[in-house]
Amino acid sequence: MRKHIRTTALAATALLAALSLTACGGDENGSDGKSGAAAPAASSTANPDKGKAAEDAKETGGGKADAPAENVSTAAKGSTGRSGSGSGSGKSSSGATGGGSKSPVTCTGSNTKVTVTKVSRPINHLLLTATNTGSATCYAYHAPALRFDDAQAAFPVLRDSIPQAVVTLEPGQSAYASIGLSGEPDGQELHKGTHLAVYFTGKANQGSTGAAAELTLPAGTSWGDNGFVTYWQSEMDDALTY
């Protein structure tokens, strides 16, 4: 009987030990399982915006993220377009400048302002001044053709006054010609004059071209049949040397 009780006690002790080991093993597995279950939660806590970003991406389909990049690209193209336009404008400015350098034309009474004045030296001389009032360069070819009042013949031209080159007038520039009212010999008949028509000649020097300039002569002007007019000169002094 005593032996049976001892055997039963030992069996109970062994059973308690086994239960103890089983409990310990369950704690370890439970700890591992708990740790494994906690990992996703820890990951989510470590990057809380990642899930939100994913949800936003699903809602927007990525459209909002692409929009700024597209706008930058468009702005760059627009900037390039403006730059190209500026370059085009520079070219156009150059073309405008080219427009400013229009093909030269012949000076006439329409694109010049002509004046006549009396000078003290040389004596018995008048000075013609033709100023380019147009927007293009004009050529003052040869000599002005003059007609005093209702004279039938053209006023003589002084051949010795031919310049070395055609007088070229940029807008605002002037050409000059002097009028000798009476030449040699002295004592010829003089005519009182009140009106002077100034005609311009073309390159071929075959008659007048364009409109004439109609001028009122200085008071007391008299002219002789043997007077003269010089070729157009680029300098006033050159015109008044004859």
Side-chain angles (χ1 to χ4, degrees), residues 163-224:
Q164 294 182 347
V166 174
V167 177
T168 302
L169 302 182
E170 299 293 337
Q173 292 184 334
S174 300
Y176 307 91
S178 65
I179 302 171
L181 294 172
S182 60
E184 298 296 338
D186 293 331
Q188 81 277 10
E189 183 181 359
L190 296 179
H191 311 278
K192 290 183 178 180
T194 59
H195 178 265
L196 179 66
V198 180
Y199 297 88
F200 290 81
T201 57
K203 184 177 181 180
N205 198 20
Q206 296 179 349
S208 63
T209 182
E214 305 289 343
L215 308 175
T216 299
L217 290 166
T221 298
S222 296
W223 55 275

Side-chain angles (χ1 to χ4, degrees), residues 16 34 79 113 144 156 185 212 231:
L16 289 174
K34 184 177 182 180
S79 175
K113 178 181 179 180
Y231 276 68

Side-chain angles (χ1 to χ4, degrees), residues 29-155:
N29 292 336
S31 175
D32 289 345
K34 184 177 182 180
S35 175
S43 175
S44 175
T45 303
N47 189 5
D49 294 333
K50 186 173 181 180
K52 186 176 184 301
E55 292 178 2
D56 290 343
K58 290 180 180 179
E59 292 179 2
T60 61
K64 290 184 180 179
D66 292 340
E70 183 179 355
N71 289 340
V72 170
S73 176
T74 301
K77 290 180 181 179
S79 175
T80 302
R82 286 193 293 271
S83 175
S85 176
S87 176
S89 297
K91 188 174 183 180
S92 175
S93 176
S94 174
T97 301
S101 57
K102 297 176 182 178
S103 298
V105 298
T106 301
C107 297
T108 68
S110 299
N111 56 25
T112 63
K113 178 181 179 180
V114 183
T115 60
V116 58
T117 56
K118 189 175 183 179
V119 295
S120 57
R121 289 283 186 269
I123 60 172
N124 297 326
H125 274 63
L126 299 177
L127 176 68
L128 283 178
T129 303
T131 303
N132 183 354
T133 58
S135 60
T137 299
C138 75
Y139 292 138
Y141 289 111
H142 309 292
L146 306 183
R147 177 169 292 177
F148 286 90
D149 297 304
D150 56 356
Q152 298 300 312
F155 206 63

